[in-house]
Amino acid sequence: EKFIFSIRNFQYKDLLEKLNFNSLPLKEILTIKDWIDTWNNSLYLSDKQINSNWKKVLAWKDIDRFQIRSYQFIDYWNNLANPRKPETFESDKLLIRETWNKIIATIDTEKYYALSSLYSWLLINTDYSLKYILAILSSKVIHFVMYLIAFQKTKGAFWRL
């Protein structure tokens, strides 16, 4: 059996094996979509929508567990570092902060665009719902597993995928 990671402390090996038993990898349920990198937020972000090219956008600071707290607008078509097709953002998705000491995620049903400090995960397996995946990712068990495989090794920073 091949594992993507190795845990040096085998104290929790039985727990991890039980969690892996009869489970489905996230990549078979969700797919990561691209995010926006402006290279200069002061040029492309605003608190007001200037015209129809300005789309609602979220950064890491705009989300918390289970909620979207605020947003700005982005001048989406003018010289962005990596513009993407609007369809990439204009769908329901799971948003996860890129860097933190625990998983901080919420569901976006308002079709926000996302800056590079957030991961946008789209559902590809309709046997599951975004609410179900969010509940699992927000659980204490998954946080503990993330601590074992990532946070403990990176001094609390959620690694880049």
Side-chain angles (χ1 to χ4, degrees):
E1 197 168 33
K2 294 181 182 180
F3 292 95
I4 296 173
F5 57 87
S6 170
I7 296 180
R8 292 184 179 99
N9 181 348
F10 291 97
Q11 177 181 0
Y12 301 103
K13 184 177 181 233
D14 289 342
L15 170 67
L16 294 172
E17 286 176 355
K18 286 179 184 177
L19 290 173
N20 266 335
F21 178 74
N22 203 23
S23 64
L24 193 62
L26 271 180
K27 69 182 181 180
E28 294 181 25
I29 302 170
L30 301 165
T31 184
I32 268 190
K33 286 299 182 181
D34 292 322
W35 48 86
I36 302 166
D37 189 353
T38 67
W39 290 81
N40 188 342
N41 286 351
S42 64
L43 289 177
Y44 300 106
L45 297 182
S46 171
D47 291 332
K48 297 178 182 172
Q49 186 175 23
I50 310 301
N51 61 44
S52 62
N53 284 341
W54 288 75
K55 308 294 183 187
K56 291 180 180 179
V57 69
L58 299 170
W60 70 270
K61 64 181 177 49
D62 297 318
I63 73 164
D64 212 336
R65 291 184 73 199
F66 312 110
Q67 66 178 329
I68 295 172
R69 295 185 300 179
S70 60
Y71 61 88
Q72 289 184 290
F73 291 92
I74 186 166
D75 186 7
Y76 190 66
W77 293 107
N78 289 336
N79 304 314
L80 291 177
N82 64 346
R84 301 291 186 236
K85 293 179 182 176
E87 301 83 43
T88 300
F89 306 104
E90 295 175 356
S91 60
D92 292 354
K93 59 193 156 293
L94 186 65
L95 296 171
I96 302 175
R97 282 189 186 176
E98 178 186 59
T99 306
W100 211 252
N101 63 356
K102 61 183 173 182
I103 296 174
I104 302 222
T106 193
I107 296 173
D108 168 23
T109 59
E110 300 294 319
K111 323 275 189 270
Y112 289 98
Y113 287 49
L115 292 177
S116 61
S117 58
L118 291 173
Y119 290 111
S120 296
W121 294 74
L122 299 177
L123 198 60
I124 57 173
N125 185 333
T126 56
D127 291 339
Y128 301 89
S129 72
L130 290 174
K131 288 180 181 179
Y132 177 75
I133 301 302
L134 177 60
I136 290 173
L137 289 176
S138 300
S139 72
K140 289 182 180 183
V141 170
I142 294 301
H143 179 73
F144 179 71
V145 170
M146 290 299 296
Y147 174 79
L148 289 176
I149 66 173
F151 300 147
Q152 184 179 39
K153 295 176 182 174
T154 59
K155 303 292 186 221
F158 189 51
W159 75 102
R160 290 186 77 121
L161 297 173

